Amino acid sequence: MKYFSTRGGDQKLSFEETVLTGLAPNGGLYIPEYIPSLPENWRSEWSTYSFVDLSVAVLSLYISSEEISRDELRALVEKSYSTFRHPDVTPLKKLNDKTFVLELFHGPTFAFKDVALQLLGNLFEFFLLRRNAKKAPGEAQEKLTVVGATSGDTGSAAIYGLRNKANISIFILHPKGRVSPIQEAQMTTVTDSNVHNVAVKGTFDDCQDIVKALFADREFNATHRLGAVNSINWARILAQTVYYFLSYFHLKLQLPAGTNIDDVEVQYVVPTGNFGDILAGYYAKKMGLPVGKLAVATNANDILARFWKSGRYEKVDSTLGTPIASDGKQGTDASGVRETLSPAMDILVSSNFERLLWYLAYETSSGVTGDERRAAACHTLDSWMNKMKSDGRVKVPVAALEAARKDFIAERISDELTLETIRSYFSGEPSYVADPHTAVGLAAARIIAAHNAPNVHQVVLSTAHPAKFSEAVSTALQGVPSFDFDRDVLPEEFRGLLQKEKRVINVERADIQLVKDVIEKVAVSSQVGASV
């Protein structure tokens, strides 16, 4: 299996090269040459697999055993998920006969990003150790400078996945004051010498744009050997496909006696910001997992929900004469990002959406052979992304929109409905405390369920532990006499976290040069320290 850029070019990379490179030099994202089909006996053979077993089975379809042997792959996977608190890694909980929650927050940082980033950190380390083992005595060791942007959860998950790893330094950019206090503390209280938190005065999109610009700067990239931890890195998407398979089998076990899974349509509802989590579901579906339409649940930053209504992918809603007021907690800033109670989804442009757009271009492309269609899709995608960059919007052809609607539906959820949903599920039977992102998914699921066929069962992805968003949860459940945040929500691991020593580098504005200066300064001091 080789990987190529969504924007074309002659590059064909191995899995190792794809993981270490992250973002293609032409700005594109790497995707596999083809989406592999599941083995014929997957339903029976995989049905009793653990998360580790399924990870090995799924990842093996994309990673040649010549690159990573099956024993090495199993060892990497076992090491990655030994850090999780639940034996199922991503357990499925039943809320009612038709609604289930897939809990993805049982990793070290209590967020779904741990599933991918624990593995990615170990892959980085594995590849570097293997390369450096081949070096002659005295030859310079290969190193990796990992750079990422976070709207809250990616940062801490990446840091916990890479802290104290040999020959790896990590720089995480977060928008200052725009992540929850717990999220900020999870990042900035990690004081390992290879971890560097950078607080940028701006938005997540500003941080993400800086990261992409750093990768596009070939000289800087070559000097510092940049690596990506954001979901632009293909390994993150691949790792996340696994829990779709696990939850499918676990749902089968929780169906009423006499109900056949083949008579059930499974619908995944995914709180969506950067489009990586739901894109993993798309790959699982295209591989052959029998599921219905994937449901995109957005907050007030609804670029994705608007796309499925109109076919326009645009930063600002062009159907409105004037900018609309936000229903978020602090309004809309100059960039157009609306600050909401679900901050991890406060994103203007979804990076991973480019991968889906490529497949839409491919499905509707001209050409006879696969290579001709692939080249045509790359050309189309490149023109769409250039238009998005220059104009802030692009409208896809009707055929591409229809192709998107075959696999997805979308709903936008307000802050008010988010709070109402948290209250509703806490008061339900069984009582369930949802974080605001999960509540966005649950609210969207309710709306969509009204139009579903009777055989549809919904699985809502729960992306973070509610303790990470105490303000939203406490606001929603204020005055509820049976609720006590410390007793019902707060994990032992979070107690005293806000009082711990913090280490953070402040950057006064969203300026790539200022971030370059930070990385250069750390690199120089590291070299000095190494020579002393």
Side-chain angles (χ1 to χ4, degrees):
M1 175 73 78
K2 295 291 186 181
Y3 296 85
F4 66 96
S5 168
T6 50
R7 302 192 191 184
D10 297 328
Q11 245 191 351
K12 294 284 181 69
L13 270 59
S14 67
F15 178 74
E16 176 178 346
E17 291 166 334
T18 300
V19 170
L20 292 176
T21 304
L23 187 71
N26 61 10
L29 307 185
Y30 291 113
I31 56 175
E33 284 186 302
Y34 61 92
I35 299 176
S37 298
L38 299 174
E40 285 188 15
N41 61 348
W42 74 274
R43 285 175 186 261
S44 57
E45 186 172 330
W46 293 7
S47 61
T48 59
Y49 277 11
S50 67
F51 191 94
V52 167
D53 294 333
L54 278 173
S55 291
V56 174
V58 173
L59 270 58
S60 295
L61 300 175
Y62 291 88
I63 306 170
S64 166
S65 59
E66 294 178 3
E67 279 201 77
I68 303 177
S69 74
R70 292 300 159 257
D71 288 343
E72 289 172 328
L73 183 58
R74 176 166 287 276
L76 283 165
V77 168
E78 287 177 346
K79 180 180 179 182
S80 300
Y81 301 118
S82 66
T83 59
F84 281 64
R85 296 179 300 280
H86 197 284
D88 291 338
V89 180
T90 58
L92 186 71
K93 287 199 173 180
K94 183 176 181 178
L95 297 185
N96 58 53
D97 286 343
K98 296 286 182 72
T99 310
F100 299 77
V101 169
L102 179 58
E103 292 187 342
L104 306 176
F105 53 73
H106 292 278
T109 70
F110 294 77
F112 84 96
K113 309 290 178 76
D114 288 321
V115 176
L117 284 165
Q118 283 293 302
L119 178 63
L120 182 58
N122 287 323
L123 284 170
F124 280 152
E125 183 179 51
F126 174 81
F127 290 139
L128 285 179
L129 286 173
R130 187 166 67 180
R131 289 181 173 206
N132 286 329
K134 298 175 183 176
K135 301 280 187 184
E139 190 177 354
Q141 298 279 289
E142 284 196 37
K143 297 184 178 183
L144 195 65
T145 303
V146 174
V147 183
T150 187
S151 56
D153 287 333
T154 293
S156 58
I159 287 167
Y160 276 68
L162 290 171
R163 62 189 301 181
N164 209 27
K165 297 279 191 192
N167 295 312
I168 299 174
S169 57
I170 177 169
F171 294 81
I172 293 294
L173 282 60
H174 71 267
K176 187 173 183 177
R178 286 175 174 261
V179 298
S180 79
I182 286 289
Q183 287 176 314
E184 182 184 23
Q186 280 187 306
M187 293 186 286
T188 57
T189 58
V190 176
T191 56
D192 297 64
S193 61
N194 71 322
V195 173
H196 310 282
N197 284 285
V198 183
V200 178
K201 191 173 182 180
T203 68
F204 167 74
D205 287 86
D206 292 328
C207 296
Q208 188 162 248
D209 287 344
I210 289 171
V211 169
K212 288 183 177 178
L214 290 173
F215 277 92
D217 186 327
R218 298 195 179 200
E219 183 180 349
F220 188 84
N221 193 338
T223 300
H224 296 281
R225 184 60 190 280
L226 301 185
V229 287
N230 284 89
S231 51
I232 57 176
N233 194 309
W234 164 250
R236 278 193 53 181
I237 306 301
L238 180 57
Q240 290 170 195
T241 62
V242 176
Y243 46 69
Y244 285 91
F245 289 94
L246 185 75
S247 59
Y248 176 83
F249 289 121
H250 285 191
L251 174 64
K252 180 181 177 180
L253 297 174
Q254 296 191 44
L255 292 174
T259 304
N260 190 324
I261 188 69
D262 293 334
D263 297 327
V264 169
E265 180 178 311
V266 184
Q267 179 181 73
Y268 287 92
V269 185
V270 187
T272 305
N274 227 9
F275 206 74
D277 210 5
I278 197 165
L279 183 69
Y282 174 79
Y283 277 105
K285 183 178 183 180
K286 292 302 180 183
M287 289 167 68
L289 187 67
V291 299
K293 289 186 177 181
L294 299 157
V296 177
T298 77
N299 62 17
N301 296 286
D302 60 349
I303 184 172
L304 295 171
R306 286 186 279 112
F307 171 82
W308 264 277
K309 286 181 171 62
S310 66
R312 288 188 298 272
Y313 186 52
E314 54 185 2
K315 293 182 180 181
V316 179
D317 190 346
S318 61
T319 65
L320 300 168
T322 55
I324 58 173
S326 169
D327 59 4
K329 60 178 183 177
Q330 292 183 23
T332 306
D333 68 16
S335 73
V337 177
R338 299 170 198 163
E339 194 169 358
T340 74
L341 293 170
S342 46
M345 303 193 299
D346 290 351
I347 295 171
L348 203 60
V349 176
S350 303
S351 286
N352 262 292
F353 195 56
E354 176 169 337
R355 285 186 167 110
L356 178 66
L357 286 174
W358 186 91
Y359 287 106
L360 299 180
Y362 182 82
E363 283 187 42
T364 56
S365 67
S366 58
V368 178
T369 68
D371 286 344
E372 288 173 345
R373 293 183 65 194
R374 187 180 297 137
C378 289
H379 178 76
T380 299
L381 187 281
D382 190 43
S383 68
W384 287 348
M385 299 315 295
N386 284 333
K387 190 166 181 59
M388 185 67 182
K389 184 176 181 178
S390 62
D391 301 346
R393 63 174 54 91
V394 63
K395 183 170 174 55
V396 303
V398 172
L401 178 59
E402 289 176 348
R405 286 173 172 168
K406 284 191 303 182
D407 291 311
F408 296 88
I409 50 178
E411 284 291 339
R412 173 194 191 272
I413 304 300
S414 67
D415 269 0
E416 290 77 14
L417 187 51
T418 300
L419 293 173
E420 181 185 318
T421 302
I422 294 173
R423 285 192 294 271
S424 171
Y425 277 93
F426 179 76
S427 304
E429 183 59 45
S431 177
Y432 192 80
V433 183
D435 91 284
H437 305 82
T438 304
V440 167
L442 288 166
R446 274 183 173 168
I447 293 170
I448 294 165
H451 308 285
N452 282 342
N455 70 325
V456 176
H457 289 56
Q458 294 177 313
V459 176
V460 179
L461 273 59
S462 180
T463 55
H465 191 284
K468 299 193 79 165
F469 302 94
S470 57
E471 179 185 349
V473 173
S474 297
T475 299
L477 299 177
Q478 188 175 7
V480 178
S482 60
F483 175 72
D484 182 285
F485 184 85
D486 283 2
R487 181 195 67 208
D488 299 334
V489 179
L490 192 66
E492 190 61 38
E493 292 89 339
F494 285 7
R495 298 183 190 277
L497 183 62
L498 297 178
Q499 286 72 50
K500 287 187 175 181
E501 175 194 354
K502 296 180 176 66
R503 190 158 61 85
V504 62
I505 303 165
N506 289 298
V507 171
E508 61 189 27
R509 63 182 182 278
D511 185 325
I512 185 175
Q513 188 56 51
L514 294 178
V515 175
K516 280 184 176 181
D517 291 345
V518 168
I519 296 172
E520 294 277 10
K521 184 176 180 181
V522 169
V524 169
S525 64
S526 297
Q527 289 168 1
V528 171
S531 62
V532 172

